[in-house]
Amino acid sequence: MPKEKKWILKDAADKETVSRLASELGVDPVLALLLVQRGVATFQEARAFFRPDLKNLHDPFLMTDMDRAVERLHRAIEGGEKILVYGDYDVDGTTAVSLVYSFLRRLTFKVDFYIPDRYDEGYGVSFKGIDWAGENGFSLIITLDCGIKANEKVEYAAGKNIDMIICDHHLPENELPAAVAVLDPKRADCAYPFDDLSGCGVGFKLVQAYSEKYGIPFETLVPLLDLLVVSIASDLVSVTGENRILAHFGLKRMNENPRVGLLSMMRLSGLEPSHVGIDDIVFKIGPRINAAGRMESGRVAVELLTATDEKEAAEIAGEINEYNNERKDIDRRITQEALEMVRGGTCLSFGNATIVYNPDWHKGVVGIVASRLVEAFYKPTIVFTRSNGFVTGSARSVQGFDLYDAIENCADLLDNFGGHLYAAGLTLREEKLPEFCRRIEKFIGDRITSEMLTPVITVDSKLDFDQITPKFFRILKQFQPFGPGNNAPVFMTENVYDNGNGRRVGAEAGHLKLELIQESQPYHHISAIAFNKAEHFDHIKAGNPVDICYSIVENYYRGIANIQLRIKDLHDREDII
């Protein structure tokens, strides 16, 4: 059973500021508190927060090398050169390729795209991809969501008279590749005001800059924003600043006039057109797009996202959906095997980290399995399998612990690695695996704290049920789009009961559907769903009180919208000390 979560109520904001803002805006003080927690303290700041504006996007030419990138791209278009748009096989990479390829396709017919094979070529720019570009007469490669560490590959391409423009958002090494242009807001010498763009976001800034320089109306870029919001949501970059503006208008496009490929995917995901939110992308659309690269080829995802014919898009979406079903079956089986390995003591490590290895596991799902193991045991986790003669793995961390730093400390044992603070990939030779496990165990043990090993739910505010009015929820919805940096507010209500109609739901009766009453307000009922909380059913059904923490969502079903609590965790009252 997963570790019990600790609830932490955020420190109270300045009461005077909250009271003044609530009065100026005419809103519940809890909503004013949420704004102040997000750095919004004045009426003007609130108006900017609630009304994102594309005019507030940053000047793309503030990004280092943007002028060089635009000039080289223009020279290629004007000179009739063949341009190859090259991107990673995950959601961020395939949406980025689809966005830039869609833009360039309007300007030149001498453009194609390339997605490396996950199993044959691995992550990032490959020698095989460059060879293919050379053999097919391409003289310019634009990389997206990859390339920032491709120093050798850039040099190799130059030997074939191929220039490269790198668009990436990962942390660079000290020495940058010698490309024509390196666009990365995380470059130490880059003064761009927002450094948490997705890979697709960097690609968008390139086409925005090109459009500004050569008189292409910005309005023609708006249809690309549905791709951009899919990348922002799926890559878990912060939904603040420029990303919040782009995500807002991306969702607007997705709900009003999505491209045919995304519309087909929405239908297959069981989503209501015009009611798609960030969570729907994260949990339904993103995993399906990812499944193409995991199970077959990321190229299929780009074909879907750039399709213009509805029938063709529906066929490709159906194919990708089958990949996703296959992925889910494999994911479930391997997760179960990994759990049994840990519980049976046959894993490589279960001390400071959870490390498991099976050479027969499917490489495409080890990252998902690592996330599942973190949920189960709440430790930094690495899941290894074998691919192309190497041991390859995916790593996932817990809140507050930099697992990338731990992996980087073992770089001398690794053939390749890359990633972020909480998620990384790595490759090494099997004979080095025992030493790697020993060293990373020690590194983690020396730095991780008991606080990091305790799952935490941060609660924004206490709330009484009678405060959840239609007006309250209407304003709360305007805090969207939610995501890192602007997470959906989490509320806590104490001493609540089910009204007697609660039941288990779901394929394996693992969830709870409840009708809740707060003891102090016996006539105010509110619907709630608690995923994977069926173990509390008997306690609740017996009429016992619980404390709940939850987010408030709109449950849209068969054309009817209702307010619903999505319970994140609950505590039996006798458990509270």
Side-chain angles (χ1 to χ4, degrees), residues 89 118-119 287 290-296 327-328 330-331 334 360-369 385-387 392 394 396:
Y89 40 70
R118 186 184 198 112
Y119 306 105
N290 249 337
R294 292 183 188 280
M295 308 307 296
E296 183 59 31
R327 187 273 305 165
K328 286 193 286 188
I330 293 172
D331 161 21
I334 294 177
D360 299 324
W361 283 341
H362 195 295
K363 182 184 174 185
V365 302
V366 292
I368 299 170
V369 174
T385 186
R386 187 197 289 274
S387 179
T392 184
S394 278
R396 298 293 183 270

Side-chain angles (χ1 to χ4, degrees), residues 254-256 258 262-263 266-267 270-276 556:
M254 207 165 173
N255 283 298
E256 293 175 359
L262 285 176
L263 182 60
M266 287 154 58
R267 287 170 175 159
L271 297 173
E272 293 270 1
S274 79
H275 284 80
V276 176
Y556 193 83

Side-chain angles (χ1 to χ4, degrees), residues 232-368:
I232 289 170
S234 300
D235 215 51
L236 298 178
V237 290
S238 63
V239 186
T240 60
E242 192 165 40
N243 278 345
R244 188 166 187 271
I245 298 170
L246 294 167
H248 173 87
F249 286 97
L251 280 175
K252 187 172 188 293
R253 181 75 188 182
M254 207 165 173
N255 283 298
E256 293 175 359
N257 189 16
R259 63 192 54 240
V260 293
L262 285 176
L263 182 60
S264 296
M265 195 60 76
M266 287 154 58
R267 287 170 175 159
L268 277 171
S269 304
L271 297 173
E272 293 270 1
S274 79
H275 284 80
V276 176
I278 290 286
D279 276 1
D280 296 315
I281 297 172
V282 171
F283 295 110
K284 295 186 176 181
I285 294 172
R288 283 172 166 82
I289 295 172
N290 249 337
R294 292 183 188 280
M295 308 307 296
E296 183 59 31
S297 168
R299 188 174 180 89
V300 182
V302 178
E303 289 169 355
L304 171 72
L305 297 173
T306 57
T308 54
D309 178 77
E310 280 196 38
K311 184 180 177 184
E312 179 193 4
E315 288 174 358
I316 300 172
E319 183 183 345
I320 288 177
N321 202 49
E322 283 304 308
Y323 294 147
N324 190 54
N325 290 334
E326 183 185 352
R327 187 273 305 165
K328 286 193 286 188
D329 289 342
I330 293 172
D331 161 21
R332 276 191 288 265
R333 176 179 58 79
I334 294 177
T335 298
Q336 191 56 42
E337 290 176 5
L339 288 168
E340 290 170 1
M341 193 177 282
V342 174
R343 289 166 181 153
T346 58
C347 54
L348 293 179
S349 175
F350 191 60
N352 300 309
T354 303
I355 306 177
V356 293
Y357 171 49
N358 184 323
D360 299 324
W361 283 341
H362 195 295
K363 182 184 174 185
V365 302
V366 292
I368 299 170

Side-chain angles (χ1 to χ4, degrees), residues 74-88:
H74 186 64
R75 184 152 49 89
I77 292 170
E78 290 294 295
E81 295 179 55
K82 293 184 73 175
I83 304 167
L84 187 64
V85 184
Y86 187 115
D88 190 25

Side-chain angles (χ1 to χ4, degrees), residues 84-337:
L84 187 64
V85 184
Y86 187 115
D88 190 25
Y89 40 70
D90 66 3
V91 181
D92 193 16
T94 53
T95 52
V97 167
S98 300
L99 187 150
V100 174
Y101 175 72
S102 297
F103 174 80
L104 292 178
R105 199 162 54 173
R106 295 186 229 146
L107 305 176
T108 174
F109 65 90
K110 291 190 173 183
V111 60
D112 202 351
F113 64 87
Y114 189 96
I115 305 291
D117 183 273
R118 186 184 198 112
Y119 306 105
D120 182 37
E121 298 167 77
Y123 170 81
V125 183
S126 70
F127 290 113
K128 182 177 178 181
I130 295 169
D131 287 340
W132 187 88
E135 290 160 8
N136 289 276
F138 290 91
S139 54
L140 177 63
I141 296 176
I142 301 172
T143 75
L144 294 151
D145 190 36
C146 61
I148 197 63
K149 296 182 180 180
N151 300 51
E152 289 182 30
K153 314 289 173 51
V154 169
E155 192 176 321
Y156 183 73
K160 293 177 175 290
N161 295 315
I162 300 172
D163 286 339
M164 292 179 72
I165 295 172
I166 290 171
C167 303
D168 205 345
H169 69 133
H170 296 97
L171 201 62
E173 303 280 12
N174 291 330
E175 184 181 346
L176 295 173
V180 169
V182 178
L183 306 179
D184 188 332
K186 291 188 175 72
R187 281 180 61 164
D189 62 345
C190 184
Y192 192 73
F194 186 76
D195 71 352
D196 203 28
L197 291 168
S198 65
C200 187
V202 179
F204 180 79
K205 300 308 291 190
L206 173 61
V207 304
Q208 182 191 357
Y210 189 92
S211 300
E212 280 185 18
K213 180 75 181 283
Y214 294 104
I216 300 170
F218 183 86
E219 293 70 35
T220 64
L221 304 183
V222 172
L224 301 173
L225 295 180
D226 56 0
L227 291 168
L228 190 43
V229 71
V230 172
S231 91
I232 289 170
S234 300
D235 215 51
L236 298 178
V237 290
S238 63
V239 186
T240 60
E242 192 165 40
N243 278 345
R244 188 166 187 271
I245 298 170
L246 294 167
H248 173 87
F249 286 97
L251 280 175
K252 187 172 188 293
R253 181 75 188 182
M254 207 165 173
N255 283 298
E256 293 175 359
N257 189 16
R259 63 192 54 240
V260 293
L262 285 176
L263 182 60
S264 296
M265 195 60 76
M266 287 154 58
R267 287 170 175 159
L268 277 171
S269 304
L271 297 173
E272 293 270 1
S274 79
H275 284 80
V276 176
I278 290 286
D279 276 1
D280 296 315
I281 297 172
V282 171
F283 295 110
K284 295 186 176 181
I285 294 172
R288 283 172 166 82
I289 295 172
N290 249 337
R294 292 183 188 280
M295 308 307 296
E296 183 59 31
S297 168
R299 188 174 180 89
V300 182
V302 178
E303 289 169 355
L304 171 72
L305 297 173
T306 57
T308 54
D309 178 77
E310 280 196 38
K311 184 180 177 184
E312 179 193 4
E315 288 174 358
I316 300 172
E319 183 183 345
I320 288 177
N321 202 49
E322 283 304 308
Y323 294 147
N324 190 54
N325 290 334
E326 183 185 352
R327 187 273 305 165
K328 286 193 286 188
D329 289 342
I330 293 172
D331 161 21
R332 276 191 288 265
R333 176 179 58 79
I334 294 177
T335 298
Q336 191 56 42
E337 290 176 5

Side-chain angles (χ1 to χ4, degrees), residues 512-516 526-530 548 564-567:
L512 296 180
K513 182 78 171 65
L514 305 170
E515 290 291 329
L516 296 177
I526 191 160
S527 296
I529 185 78
I548 59 171
Q564 185 181 67
L565 308 186
R566 183 174 292 165
I567 294 176

